[in-house]
Amino acid sequence: GTLASSVIGFSSAGNVGTIGLENYYNDELNGVNGREYGYLNSDNNFERTVIDAEDGNTIVCSIDANLQSIVESKIVEFNEAYRDNYYFGPGSKNTAVIAMNPNNGEILAMANYPSFDLNNPRDLSGVMTQEEIEGLSDEETMDALNALWQNFCITYTYEPGSVQKPYTVACGLETGTVTTDMTFFCDGHETFDGNVWVNCHKVEGH
């Protein structure tokens, strides 16, 4: 179904991996087709040659199906809860979560919202109405599918922002640079190189 769909990926015609692991490891996963051919020798006897097929390789990834399932369900819950929320608007355009084993770097879960069904990857009904789908040109349909299929966790370059704050605070506490009774003033933005302006989520400061 949809479990880890953008991570796993799917195959298109000719057993060609289109996205995800199916695409990246296409050569390893695909085997070699077998074939059989024959000919008549000089004595008019039929000679047959058979070349056996070779299976492709199996790959094992570190994704934990239970964790993946939990993360995906929580992402859906979040988006449904905030779909019509006044403050957050219509949910999120993209939601992405990566869970990693900090001891060895293994990726235990990698999930996106919206997701799609690997058994029917060209179905856009989960993200568009039927009327919207019918109004798409062929090019717009492919753009919509590519947007749905991409693994947001690894295809977008976006500053990690607030997820770095715990690391910064932890380093400061560990080295004694900051203490628990210190406070800091945020003026709502920071400038870099004199002309790059980056806003805090609370632009008026706090």
Side-chain angles (χ1 to χ4, degrees), residues 47-168:
E47 296 284 347
R48 187 176 70 156
T49 300
V50 177
I51 299 176
D52 292 331
E54 293 180 23
D55 290 339
N57 293 313
T58 298
I59 62 170
V60 178
C61 70
S62 58
I63 295 291
D64 181 308
N66 290 326
L67 287 177
Q68 183 75 21
S69 180
I70 291 167
V71 168
E72 289 186 13
S73 67
K74 294 300 179 185
I75 288 176
V76 171
E77 282 179 26
F78 168 81
N79 278 276
E80 288 178 350
Y82 291 102
R83 188 179 307 281
D84 299 314
N85 182 282
Y86 173 78
Y87 180 77
F88 288 100
S92 67
K93 182 178 179 182
N94 292 290
T95 307
V97 174
I98 299 175
M100 178 188 286
N101 181 340
N103 296 312
N104 58 18
E106 286 184 343
I107 304 300
L108 303 176
M110 183 182 287
N112 303 294
Y113 177 90
S115 61
F116 60 95
D117 187 346
L118 285 172
N119 298 305
N120 191 12
R122 289 172 177 78
D123 179 15
L124 288 167
S125 61
V127 292
M128 293 182 177
T129 65
Q130 190 59 39
E131 185 179 356
E132 288 173 328
I133 294 171
E134 291 171 358
L136 296 175
S137 66
D138 289 345
E139 185 177 344
E140 289 170 333
T141 299
M142 278 313 303
D143 287 343
L145 287 172
N146 284 323
L148 181 64
W149 294 339
Q150 66 190 342
N151 186 339
F152 187 83
C153 296
I154 59 173
T155 56
Y156 274 72
T157 52
Y158 189 83
E159 297 86 351
S162 293
V163 299
Q164 295 300 322
K165 291 176 183 175
Y167 298 105
T168 306

Side-chain angles (χ1 to χ4, degrees), residues 188-205:
H189 72 276
E190 190 63 63
T191 54
F192 299 92
D193 296 329
N195 60 357
V196 179
W197 183 292
V198 179
N199 283 327
C200 175
H201 80 283
K202 196 169 184 179
V203 293
E204 67 272 21

Side-chain angles (χ1 to χ4, degrees), residues 39-47:
Y39 62 93
L40 294 174
N41 64 20
S42 57
D43 297 326
N44 250 5
N45 294 322
F46 184 72
E47 296 284 347

